[in-house]
Amino acid sequence: MHKHHSALGLATAPTGTTGAVVAKLRPVQPVTLLRPHAARRAARFFVEKFPGRPMYAVKANPSPELIALLWESGVTHFDVASIAEVRLVAGIVPEATLCFMHPVKAEEAIAEAYHVHGVRTFSLDTEEELAKIVRATNGARDLTLCVRLRVSSDHSKLSLASKFGVDARDAAPVLLAARQVADTLGVCFHVGSQAMTPAAYTQAMELVRAAIVEAGVTVDVVDVGGGFPSVYPGMEPPSLEAYFAAIHEAFESLPVSYSAELWCEPGRALCAEYASLLVRVEKRRGEELYINDGAYGALFDAAHVGWRFPTELVRESGSDAKDMAFSFYGPTCDDLDHMAGPFMLPADIAAGDYIEIGMLGAYGCAMRTGFNGFTAGESVIVEDEPMASLYRTETEPAVPSNVITL
Ligand SMILES: *Cc1c(COP(=O)(O)O)cnc(C)c1O
């Protein structure tokens, strides 16, 4: 991963770069930097290269602009998990197909989704949930029902293994019951977020095979869920093509592949590069920087699961100082508002400096609260490259254009 310490060319910085934003706004509140071109590139990649249908998992970043942009880029299906997400997406892209993929739903939410918003696809992991869906839809015959299997999260940085999913060896009764009701029957799983190897999917597909063989049912959809990675310091995954190839191969070897559809539900991979955060250093205490956003803002994962994000000093004069490791304190009065990092920044960083924290489009802005009165400032569209990318092609410069020189 490259890291750059931008010198702000006040006169020469093209508009639409991170440096220009600092030069122009000198923002007192954290600024969200949006890169629509990066989200568009990610969407096109999934639409063109995933060997099946990608749907966007809205919880990763529910911003209306992003949802509209993904739709315009060819993403036609959206994975929603709450009735509020159903209403949100239905209001922005009424023609989109919504799939309600939370295995535990309120009956009222199922009813509204089905009767008001035209949702036909639901996931479940018990016969009780199936009964809820049947009641809430008045015994509808046009349902796509996806049975969620529990699979290992061993290859992922964030587990999704304990809360949802029926064990493959206990899945037969649920699969058979859902087959009776469903017009279209699917099997879905989630390997955990930020899966660091394609083997996570290959192994999960073996459980799909075991479950459908044991139950003796035909399934019409195999949905490999989310978990596709992005790039962060210390977490550099293989190429997404390698994931797609492994999934394609595992899918083709299933007994249902001749008739079934393949789906996936990327959240993080579609939006991580979409946004970054510009913060100001308010105080320095040794190796600790007090910045104006934190655990209750866009940095929840940095605080609570020790996630590391790339950082870059944004200063008019740049810096020749060597990098050293810093940790961050957020702006609230809470000791928990602490991000251990390490975040690598020049040793001469001081109060008043700005830092860009990269790769925050997924599970960043989406988690923000207004605790203690600290909220986000503006969102600004920039045209420079995200700090890292899984999508930049060979022909584009290896060094991102947000290195601004005088
Ligand atoms: C969170 C979630 C996703 C998206 O996961 P990522 O790791 O962000 O790709 C997809 N499907 C379901 C059911 C989820 O809960």
Side-chain angles (χ1 to χ4, degrees), residues 3-7 311-315 318-319 321-323 344-346 403-404:
K3 229 168 50 53
H4 309 278
H5 304 301
S6 311
T311 45
E312 182 177 315
L313 171 67
V314 190
R315 183 198 278 166
S319 172
K322 282 234 291 269
D323 277 354
M344 301 306 292
L345 286 158
V403 182
I404 301 157

Side-chain angles (χ1 to χ4, degrees), residues 46 55-61 79-81 100-103 123 148 156 158 160 164 188-195 201 223-229 264-271 362-363:
F46 267 86
M55 57 174 140
Y56 174 54
V58 171
K59 80 168 185 287
N61 186 332
D79 163 1
V80 285
F100 206 152
M101 302 306 280
H102 193 309
S123 78
R148 169 96 170 243
S156 303
L158 287 175
L160 275 84
F164 301 130
C188 62
F189 58 79
H190 197 301
V191 297
S193 207
Q194 185 76 6
Y201 296 89
D223 176 354
V224 301
F228 297 92
C264 70
E265 307 166 355
R268 177 186 305 283
L270 282 180
C271 60
Y363 307 111

